[in-house]
Amino acid sequence: MTEHTRRRALLAGGAGVAALATGGFWLAGRGGADPGAAAVWHEPATLPDTAPVAVPAQPGPPGVERARTLTAANAGDLVKITTSGWYSWALMDRGTGEIVGAKNLHETNMTASMIKAWLAADYLRRATEQGRTPSAARFAEITKLIRDSDNGVATLLWNELGGRNTITRLISICKLTDSAAGPDWSKTQLSARDTCRIAHAIGTGAAAGPTWTDYLIGEMRAVRGTGDFGIRRAFPAAEQSKIAIKNGWVWRPAPYGFYNVNCLALGDDWTMAVLTRYSSGGEAHGRAIGQSVAAQLRTLSDLL
């Protein structure tokens, strides 16, 4: 962030009410719902490939009063997204550890490439614990993994790290409450609030360890090409290079029949996650949702 970084403490953490401008279809109770209860998935209505997503102008639509503090009671209501698909978001104040977000910030989604940040962190931390320094070739592979989202390197590390065992360590080290391993790295199940916790653990050094944390954050700030979208694109150009990210995007054919487009971002004072799942509209639909959520939160919160 710049020298003008604005800090504030979020009020009591917890879930706000997710507001879908049209077509919301996760049928979770709006009052007194058990946050651990399984959500009910309904196949989304078909969207044309050109379906628009409303992305507010920076720093926000005229006439909207700036909310200095997002609370559990109002956070989800204030963020408006036009989609018939599922989405979730969360924002962490790294100074307090408090998290606000959508009503469904505890519901999980398959990560796709977003989990690659953890695979790199787990490998680097374990190398230090075992007294090893990664080779130049391995560092080159990690660069490809993070900056270019290389799937081959992800599969290599997944196998080296014990497959699902790496997710067991993820849950323990990052103190996750909702998430679970899948059959492969791409199908790891993460919630939005757990994604914020992972980003924070990367920032504190808990994930990659003290030796390689700065290196990993540097690689995440250098994400490029098709993987550079979503949350940090809502920030001024001068700030974008200071925000570490790892995104995931994939079309999953039958038996799934939906896109996963997810965003993780790490700032100096905050972390943010936006997760999406929908049946049509192309990858651009999910990318725009991530950017829109971040743009609105920049208007609503002095933390950003």
Side-chain angles (χ1 to χ4, degrees):
M1 301 291 285
T2 68
E3 66 273 17
H4 300 296
T5 298
R6 302 172 296 276
R7 299 182 60 91
R8 65 152 179 79
L10 298 174
L11 295 183
V17 179
L20 281 74
T22 62
F25 58 95
W26 272 96
L27 303 180
R30 286 187 174 268
D34 177 3
V40 180
W41 168 254
H42 289 260
E43 191 65 18
T46 299
L47 293 173
D49 286 343
T50 57
V53 174
V55 179
Q58 276 292 100
V64 174
E65 183 177 355
R66 180 177 297 275
R68 296 191 178 275
T69 303
L70 293 175
T71 69
N74 72 5
D77 282 334
L78 294 173
V79 172
K80 308 290 186 182
I81 294 294
T82 300
T83 183
S84 64
W86 176 93
Y87 78 100
S88 179
W89 65 269
L91 173 68
M92 171 188 275
D93 182 334
R94 296 188 64 201
T96 66
E98 292 170 334
I99 301 172
V100 297
K103 175 69 174 177
N104 62 357
L105 87 176
H106 64 284
E107 293 173 0
T108 63
N109 198 38
M110 285 188 274
T111 61
S113 292
M114 193 174 67
I115 197 63
K116 292 171 181 173
W118 167 254
L119 296 179
D122 196 27
Y123 172 82
L124 293 166
R125 189 196 65 262
R126 284 166 62 80
T128 300
E129 291 170 350
Q130 296 164 7
R132 296 184 292 107
T133 298
S135 66
R138 178 47 55 92
F139 279 124
E141 289 175 334
I142 291 174
T143 290
K144 289 171 61 179
L145 176 76
I146 301 300
R147 297 189 189 191
D148 302 316
S149 207
D150 188 277
N151 289 340
V153 177
T155 299
L156 177 68
L157 288 183
W158 171 264
N159 292 331
E160 283 189 22
L161 295 168
R164 293 165 62 94
N165 290 335
T166 187
I167 306 304
T168 299
R169 291 189 293 272
L170 167 69
I171 292 168
S172 175
I173 290 170
C174 300
K175 299 178 172 56
L176 308 188
T177 57
D178 313 313
S179 301
D184 58 56
W185 55 265
S186 176
K187 297 183 180 69
T188 303
Q189 296 281 346
L190 288 184
S191 67
R193 66 182 175 186
D194 276 354
T195 301
C196 283
R197 290 163 177 156
I198 294 169
H200 179 58
I202 290 172
T204 63
T211 303
W212 301 116
T213 288
D214 288 346
Y215 161 77
L216 178 58
I217 292 174
E219 292 299 304
M220 293 171 66
R221 286 173 174 165
V223 167
R224 59 198 175 191
T226 57
D228 184 8
F229 64 84
I231 291 170
R232 76 176 177 188
R233 289 302 186 96
F235 287 76
E239 294 184 27
Q240 290 181 21
S241 64
K242 301 175 185 178
I243 298 171
I245 64 169
K246 190 68 195 83
N247 296 325
W249 64 102
V250 67
W251 162 254
R252 299 191 189 277
Y256 301 107
F258 54 72
Y259 289 90
N260 288 137
V261 180
N262 304 315
C263 303
L264 170 157
L266 165 65
D268 290 342
D269 305 322
W270 54 270
T271 67
M272 192 188 305
V274 182
L275 313 180
T276 74
R277 180 170 63 243
Y278 53 93
S279 65
S280 62
E283 290 174 3
H285 186 65
R287 292 170 185 241
I289 291 173
Q291 184 171 338
S292 178
V293 169
Q296 292 178 66
L297 290 176
R298 290 196 68 236
T299 299
L300 297 166
S301 172
D302 285 344
L303 182 63
L304 304 172

